[in-house]
Amino acid sequence: TAIDPCIVQNINIHHHRTTITSHTANALTAAMTLLPNSPHRRYGIVVMAVSCASLFQPTAVNAYSFVSSSHRTNLQYSSNKLSLPSSPTLRRQTSASLVMKRPNRIRRPTDKDRSNTQLQQPTELPANLKRKVDAKRPTLGHVVPKKSNTRQHKPLTELGGSNTAQLRPQGQSRDTQRYNNASNLRVLGGSIRGRKLESPNVYLRPMMGKVKEAVYSTFTSFGMYEDVGGVSCKTRHLDIFSGSGSVGLESLSRGAWHCTFVDMSNDCCGASERNIERCGFDGWNEGGIGTGIPDEGEPTARVVCSDAFRALRQPESVGIPPGSKYDIVTLCPPYEEIVYADLLEAVANSELVTEDTVVMVEYPVELGCLPHVIGREDGGVLVGVRNRKYGRTVIAMYVVNPTGDREVAFSRPEEFVSI
């Protein structure tokens, strides 16, 4: 069925008006064939002609050339009745505004932009870092608040039921016969990938696997585990709040030269020593000229049972050799038991860090956000290069007095905003 002749014969397309494409004409033809043969068929055709004209003409008046003069009065009445109030958002679009545009996207700063950007001066640490954070987590698995007695586990001899899981608050003794690897810890990559690790006899909050993988992917992109000039990797790692040692062992597995584990819990230090032996990192590194370590050498892994603040401020008093410098420092503290301002001040001014040392700090999202630049007492700075959120965990990375040797580890102030 063709379009009604009274419509086709009066279509007048002028060169100065908007051109109707062949696709629009085909669509109008197909729509007309679907209208039933009824007395209202002619009026339906008129309305559809008006709709098509309103899409491709600047004004409704120009659309009147689509129909015969006998229906122009009805067309004007319909246009006035259905007209919308004029507003900037409801105006008819001109042909120029119909051109498809790419959506606005936030342009990532380039290396040239970063080189031209002046580094902001370090300021006093904000008040939210000078008090302990309230970062309670919901009950998961065998972790419950200390005063909770709503669930009790059944003896191992009883089978079935939903209350067979034993619940333990953080920091208290764990049933090693029931949970010999409560967190299912294992090495994720490197030479001993997949090696299972032993957990200490107290419940810990270990770094999540996806977070650990992201952290070490970033370390690898910084070139922390690359051989330089035919010399094997000499990266030295300091793991503060080591717990079971999973973070430092991950670094050794990926090629680190040495790792020092620091924790104040005897159970955690014992678990770290057993995991070091289990993973085969209980060897000895030879010293000498060009190695950066004394002639007598040093162990591949060293465990120090000490308070974290004392280890950072007075390393020699806890057994760390004098003159020791580290390329990576990881801080994964218990969220509610430390003041982050004190921790950042201790690591920033520690004699264990040097130029281009990468400092990683794990903190809860409830803390807000760490500053982009942290000042040192000697006038140096820690410059933030990463600040990424993983669920309720945030990982911040800083470079101490950056020299530019780590090309990928450039300043990123846009990431250090409230999350």
Side-chain angles (χ1 to χ4, degrees):
T1 305
I3 300 178
D4 196 296
C6 70
I7 299 299
V8 177
Q9 67 183 358
N10 288 286
I11 292 179
N12 183 16
I13 303 175
H14 298 284
H15 179 71
H16 66 277
R17 292 175 179 172
T18 307
T19 304
I20 299 178
T21 61
S22 60
H23 298 288
T24 306
N26 293 336
L28 182 60
T29 303
M32 294 303 102
T33 59
L34 297 178
L35 291 175
N37 294 325
S38 64
H40 302 287
R41 182 173 183 271
R42 183 182 298 274
Y43 182 77
I45 295 174
V46 172
V47 173
M48 301 194 79
V50 172
S51 302
C52 294
S54 63
L55 295 176
F56 291 93
Q57 294 292 345
T59 62
V61 176
N62 293 333
Y64 296 157
S65 60
F66 281 84
V67 298
S68 61
S69 59
S70 61
H71 297 284
R72 187 162 304 200
T73 303
N74 293 334
L75 191 61
Q76 291 176 345
Y77 173 77
S78 300
S79 177
N80 295 332
K81 187 176 181 180
L82 298 177
S83 61
L84 297 176
S86 60
S87 66
T89 58
L90 297 178
R91 291 173 183 169
R92 299 183 187 277
Q93 292 179 331
T94 62
S95 58
S97 64
L98 292 175
V99 179
M100 293 186 64
K101 297 180 180 180
R102 218 176 149 177
N104 294 331
R105 297 181 180 178
I106 299 177
R107 186 177 67 88
R108 295 179 64 90
T110 62
D111 294 342
K112 183 178 180 180
D113 296 335
R114 294 188 177 96
S115 62
N116 295 332
T117 302
Q118 296 295 330
L119 186 66
Q120 61 180 353
Q121 295 298 322
T123 58
E124 184 180 0
L125 293 176
N128 64 312
L129 304 182
K130 297 181 179 181
R131 58 178 180 267
K132 290 187 177 181
V133 61
D134 184 9
K136 290 182 172 57
R137 294 295 189 262
T139 301
L140 295 175
H142 58 288
V143 187
V144 294
K146 293 183 178 181
K147 297 182 180 180
S148 176
N149 56 359
T150 57
R151 293 180 60 189
Q152 300 294 333
H153 74 281
K154 296 180 179 180
L156 295 178
T157 55
E158 299 183 19
L159 300 177
S162 60
N163 296 328
T164 56
Q166 183 175 5
L167 305 178
R168 294 290 183 183
Q170 182 173 348
Q172 292 190 5
S173 299
R174 177 174 53 84
D175 186 355
T176 56
Q177 293 182 353
R178 190 176 184 86
Y179 297 104
N180 57 0
N181 190 1
S183 303
N184 196 26
L185 296 175
R186 64 182 65 217
V187 179
L188 300 180
S191 60
I192 57 171
R193 177 182 179 183
R195 189 72 54 88
K196 293 184 178 180
L197 304 177
E198 179 183 341
S199 296
N201 294 333
V202 295
Y203 172 74
L204 299 177
R205 182 197 46 78
M207 182 183 290
M208 294 185 296
K210 65 176 183 179
V211 179
K212 189 191 299 184
E213 187 65 40
V215 166
Y216 281 95
S217 295
T218 304
F219 286 164
T220 302
S221 68
F222 290 171
M224 306 303 298
Y225 304 110
E226 294 180 356
D227 298 340
V228 180
V231 180
S232 60
C233 175
K234 299 297 182 182
T235 297
R236 295 169 54 81
H237 190 140
L238 177 62
D239 185 10
I240 307 289
F241 305 104
S242 61
S244 62
S246 62
V247 176
L249 290 170
E250 188 77 31
S251 186
L252 291 173
S253 176
R254 295 173 186 256
W257 174 258
H258 169 82
C259 183
T260 298
F261 301 85
V262 178
D263 202 289
M264 66 180 301
S265 170
N266 291 326
D267 287 337
C268 292
C269 291
S272 296
E273 291 176 349
R274 292 189 294 271
N275 286 329
I276 290 171
E277 184 177 359
R278 174 181 294 188
C279 295
F281 294 127
D282 53 346
W284 192 266
N285 293 331
E286 297 295 335
I289 300 176
T291 61
I293 59 177
D295 295 339
E296 63 273 14
E298 66 176 354
T300 303
R302 177 185 290 110
V303 179
V304 176
C305 189
S306 169
D307 176 71
F309 293 96
R310 184 180 178 185
L312 289 171
R313 293 167 178 164
Q314 303 172 355
E316 297 182 16
S317 64
V318 299
I320 298 178
S324 297
K325 301 295 182 181
Y326 293 90
D327 304 291
I328 300 176
V329 179
T330 52
L331 304 169
C332 304
Y335 295 157
E336 297 183 332
E337 298 180 17
I338 59 104
V339 178
Y340 274 86
D342 297 339
L343 182 62
L344 293 175
E345 183 273 334
V347 69
N349 299 290
S350 176
E351 61 185 64
L352 299 177
V353 300
T354 183
E355 290 182 347
D356 291 328
T357 295
V358 178
V359 179
M360 187 277 291
V361 184
E362 178 183 350
Y363 66 97
V365 69
E366 291 86 354
L367 189 64
C369 183
L370 298 186
H372 173 232
V373 179
I374 301 175
R376 289 165 49 98
E377 294 177 354
D378 60 359
V381 292
L382 273 69
V383 180
V385 296
R386 293 289 189 279
N387 190 51
R388 305 288 172 82
K389 177 176 174 289
Y390 305 90
R392 299 180 68 178
T393 300
V394 187
I395 298 295
M397 293 188 185
Y398 294 88
V399 177
V400 180
N401 294 337
T403 63
D405 291 343
R406 306 195 190 281
E407 297 179 356
V408 181
F410 42 73
S411 173
R412 293 193 177 185
E414 66 274 8
E415 295 191 7
F416 287 83
V417 295
S418 297
I419 300 176

